[in-house]
Amino acid sequence: MIAGKTWRESCWMAVTYTLLLEVLLVPAIVLWPTLRPEAASLARMIPADFVKRLVDAITSPDSGAAYRAYMAIQMFFKGVNVVGIACAVLLGTGVVARERENQTLEFLLGRPVSRSRVLWDKYWVLALVVVVPIFLTSWSAVPLSWIIDHSLPFAAVTIAAFHNALFVLTLFTFTVLCSVLFRSQVHVAFAVGTVIVIQVGIFFVQQIRVASLFRFSDFDVYGPVLAGNVGFMQLFLASGVWLLGATVLLYLAADRAFRRMDL
Amino acid sequence: MSHVLEMRGVDKRYGTRPVLHGVDLHVARGEVLGFVGPNGAGKSTCLRILLGLTRRDGGAVQVHGLDPAWDSLAIRRRTAYLPGETSLYLHMRGSAFLEFALRFYAAVDLPLRRRLEELFGLPLHRRIRTYSAGMKQKLALLATLVPEVELYLLDEPDRALDATARLQLRDVLRELQRAGRTIVLSSHHLSEVEALADRLLFLHEGRVVDDARVRAVRDALRHEIRLRLEAGTPLPDGHEQVREEPDGALRVSVPGNPYAWLARIDPRRIRSAEVGDTRLEEIYKGLTEVRAP
């Protein structure tokens, strides 16, 4: 019943978020033939090493490889990392903090239902809302690519989508933990926003980039996957397992904090 | 007589601020306990501790023979709770909210549900955000009173209700009482609590006030008259104390029969007179004064 209610409250968000991802994806695919000749001149303007690697890949003489590198940037590095994380933070912020702010939490927790059950029923529905659109839009890129006479390997797209979903899920779970710990949604958004901004900042500084969480979800991860050089197990063991572990730990911390929370 | 709930020496503090000091209370099966006290006295905290929604810092608590710190869920399966400062899911329709709230319980009293729906006359097809404060409170009451449980903890159930709805609520609670259910209700309306409760418990600054002291204060108040007179009307002799209130009314303390004293004033000069005012605020004020050395 909590799951059903949570779904009804968040289904519009799922649809909007899916459409937003798709809206970003379609012009990116359609504009590729136009951008392709200009890519080399863009490359010379960029200082950081990883961006140079990225531009080198999309300027590759092999048009198929260049297109797959380009899609790794557009679909995962840019699209999901921006829109997916925004959606995850928006949804995760309210999980507990909104109930507390709206003074509905005491009514809900006064019913005969365990706190773990309340959190889990809200969590899994919203986690699906965050994750499923990543797969749907990623898969839609496969037939969309045929419009411009290119192809994307379905299996590689699925592996990249899985990894990207795991990354967004980790940030979503971190937001849920903050939603339990902080009393208002604004404080949650501020805390999570601060962490993300700092992480993005670190990512763009060459010397300290290695310390950024976004290393788990950048072009150096998705490029080789879409190029077919990295398989599922290789990617999962290299970084997916850390994301999964962090997600589980963050969820357990949120569950514990929620069970111990005083009204 | 077996106790449905019992608190012994319960302490609670929020940060460094103490909220409850050694609170003792017990409620027997089928009893109705009126829980009264000013805002911030600790009534809501007591109710939350009984359900395990808030952890106590000291003392012992048993509800249905279980400790809420460990068996909160089992207690809530046998208890219905109406929080005092709560809001409902405003985006939901009344009927959907009711289904949502009742589905948590193993059994609901369907005839009572139908009767309350009819009695309260709520537009259940409408979204809750369009409800008035009184309608929201009626809906919260419906969601709380209909589950078939042994114990009802009601924090200010008459909040935002008009006089008619209060009478309706009183009837329903009496019916539950006759059915052997145990009820703990807190309220600011002493008359409502008195009309229903088998026993009153005063909570003041986190402490349970001694019964004898409450009786002494109430007896003293029975000799007080709150009076509004035409300007320049003299007061007859025989009163002990006169105090002017902020709204211009006089509070006169009379040692003997207050009605006999009142009869000595020209009735045409009296704009209003209330004898034996037992408003809670006055009792609280009296309790504070009695405690002062």
Side-chain angles (χ1 to χ4, degrees):
Chain A
M1 55 203 127
I2 295 172
K5 178 177 158 295
T6 308
W7 166 245
R8 282 191 293 278
E9 286 166 358
S10 56
C11 58
W12 66 270
M13 186 80 177
V15 172
T16 312
Y17 161 48
T18 310
L19 288 175
L20 202 53
L21 281 174
E22 201 64 49
V23 162
L24 285 173
L25 184 69
V26 172
I29 291 172
V30 174
L31 287 174
W32 170 241
T34 320
L35 289 173
R36 167 93 167 124
E38 307 297 327
S41 54
L42 284 171
R44 285 190 289 276
M45 296 161 60
I46 295 158
D49 280 0
F50 77 96
V51 188
K52 278 186 180 150
R53 277 200 301 282
L54 181 153
V55 178
D56 282 348
I58 62 170
T59 53
S60 160
D62 178 345
S63 71
Y67 178 66
R68 285 193 291 275
Y70 170 73
M71 286 311 291
I73 300 163
Q74 288 291 357
M75 204 157 55
F76 301 110
F77 181 55
K78 189 197 83 181
V80 176
N81 275 0
V82 174
V83 184
I85 289 171
C87 179
V89 173
L90 264 175
L91 288 169
T93 304
V95 168
V96 174
R98 186 174 55 206
E99 295 257 11
R100 193 150 41 183
E101 241 176 23
N102 293 347
Q103 293 188 303
T104 50
L105 189 61
E106 191 171 358
F107 189 88
L108 182 62
L109 298 184
R111 308 296 100 188
V113 59
S114 73
R115 293 189 186 194
S116 293
R117 177 70 190 272
V118 169
L119 190 66
W120 176 244
D121 277 3
K122 282 170 168 277
Y123 180 85
W124 73 259
V125 174
L126 295 177
L128 284 180
V129 169
V130 168
V131 159
V132 169
I134 296 174
F135 284 95
L136 293 179
T137 52
S138 301
W139 287 331
S140 77
V142 176
L144 278 170
S145 300
W146 300 337
I147 297 171
I148 54 162
D149 294 327
H150 276 287
S151 68
L152 283 174
F154 180 81
V157 165
T158 306
I159 293 168
F162 177 84
H163 186 83
N164 210 170
L166 205 51
F167 180 71
V168 173
L169 194 62
T170 308
L171 288 175
F172 169 70
T173 314
F174 172 67
T175 313
V176 170
L177 171 63
C178 291
S179 182
V180 175
L181 295 177
F182 294 98
R183 297 201 81 82
S184 77
Q185 291 188 86
V186 173
H187 293 157
V188 179
F190 186 76
V192 177
T194 304
V195 169
I196 290 176
V197 165
I198 290 171
Q199 288 296 323
V200 170
I202 291 172
F203 183 79
F204 282 102
V205 179
Q206 185 69 39
Q207 289 80 0
I208 52 171
R209 191 169 159 260
V210 70
S212 173
L213 281 175
F214 284 88
R215 282 293 305 274
F216 284 103
S217 185
D218 65 1
F219 173 73
D220 290 338
V221 173
Y222 301 117
V225 172
L226 287 196
N229 298 329
V230 173
F232 175 77
M233 279 315 286
Q234 198 181 344
L235 179 63
F236 184 73
L237 292 176
S239 55
V241 70
W242 295 107
L243 293 175
L244 186 63
T247 304
V248 171
L249 285 177
L250 287 167
Y251 182 80
L252 292 176
D255 181 68
R256 185 170 186 270
F258 193 44
R259 278 189 285 116
R260 293 170 63 86
M261 190 180 79
D262 247 5
L263 278 185
Chain B
M1 198 183 282
S2 64
H3 289 149
V4 172
L5 65 90
E6 193 169 9
M7 282 181 133
R8 281 189 314 262
V10 169
D11 296 317
K12 175 69 188 172
R13 65 174 60 82
Y14 288 120
T16 53
R17 188 171 61 91
V19 182
L20 298 177
H21 308 265
V23 171
D24 291 315
L25 74 91
H26 56 84
V27 183
R29 196 167 300 283
E31 189 181 18
V32 178
L33 176 77
F35 209 21
V36 283
N39 287 334
K43 305 185 299 289
S44 300
T45 305
C46 273
L47 297 181
R48 287 177 190 145
I49 287 174
L50 288 169
L51 278 178
L53 300 178
T54 296
R55 280 167 296 157
R56 62 185 184 267
D57 292 323
V61 181
Q62 290 239 307
V63 182
H64 308 298
L66 303 165
D67 186 336
W70 301 105
D71 297 305
S72 170
L73 182 58
I75 289 169
R76 280 180 284 134
R77 282 198 182 110
R78 298 161 68 182
T79 308
Y81 172 54
L82 177 76
E85 291 168 13
T86 193
S87 177
L88 308 175
Y89 296 103
L90 302 182
H91 62 281
M92 292 176 93
R93 293 181 195 281
S95 52
F97 171 79
L98 208 50
E99 292 306 324
F100 172 72
L102 295 178
R103 215 176 290 167
F104 290 103
Y105 294 92
V108 293
D109 187 339
L110 283 175
L112 179 64
R113 177 181 173 172
R114 276 194 289 274
R115 207 160 58 75
L116 282 179
E117 281 181 12
E118 203 175 308
L119 196 67
F120 288 157
L122 289 170
L124 292 172
H125 61 284
R126 271 171 40 191
R127 291 195 191 275
I128 298 173
R129 74 164 66 92
T130 66
Y131 283 22
S132 67
M135 287 155 93
K136 284 177 196 159
Q137 183 68 0
K138 285 177 183 173
L139 185 62
L141 279 166
L142 240 168
T144 309
L145 299 176
V146 167
E148 278 191 10
V149 290
E150 298 156 55
L151 172 65
Y152 296 84
L153 302 178
L154 311 174
D155 197 354
E156 296 188 39
D158 51 1
R159 193 172 57 119
L161 295 183
D162 57 27
T164 314
R166 272 191 212 153
L167 287 174
Q168 291 168 339
L169 172 65
R170 196 186 288 186
D171 290 341
V172 174
L173 293 180
R174 278 208 186 105
E175 200 176 302
L176 290 171
Q177 186 183 8
R178 280 195 295 274
R181 313 283 174 82
T182 310
I183 303 170
V184 176
L185 65 141
S186 80
S187 177
H188 290 295
H189 294 99
L190 188 58
S191 56
E192 298 297 321
V193 185
E194 277 191 311
L196 273 165
D198 301 314
R199 192 158 55 87
L200 289 182
L201 191 92
F202 276 80
L203 204 64
H204 189 66
E205 292 174 352
R207 289 184 170 87
V208 174
V209 182
D210 179 54
D211 276 353
R213 206 162 81 210
V214 176
R215 267 199 304 275
V217 171
R218 297 193 68 179
D219 284 345
L221 286 171
R222 282 198 184 97
H223 294 274
E224 284 211 355
I225 304 167
R226 195 165 184 276
L227 198 59
R228 282 174 181 280
L229 298 171
E230 295 295 338
T233 309
L235 289 178
D237 295 337
H239 59 269
E240 278 180 347
Q241 201 184 351
V242 180
R243 212 167 61 224
E244 188 166 352
E245 299 206 326
D247 62 355
L250 295 173
R251 187 166 285 282
V252 185
S253 185
V254 179
N257 182 347
Y259 294 97
W261 182 85
L262 206 54
R264 288 159 58 196
I265 305 174
D266 179 355
R268 287 167 302 181
R269 311 284 298 172
I270 300 175
R271 282 157 63 190
S272 70
E274 296 166 57
V275 179
D277 189 344
T278 52
R279 288 181 310 168
L280 277 177
E281 294 77 11
E282 287 306 314
I283 294 176
Y284 301 145
K285 205 187 290 175
L287 288 171
T288 318
E289 284 163 6
V290 166
R291 194 187 304 161

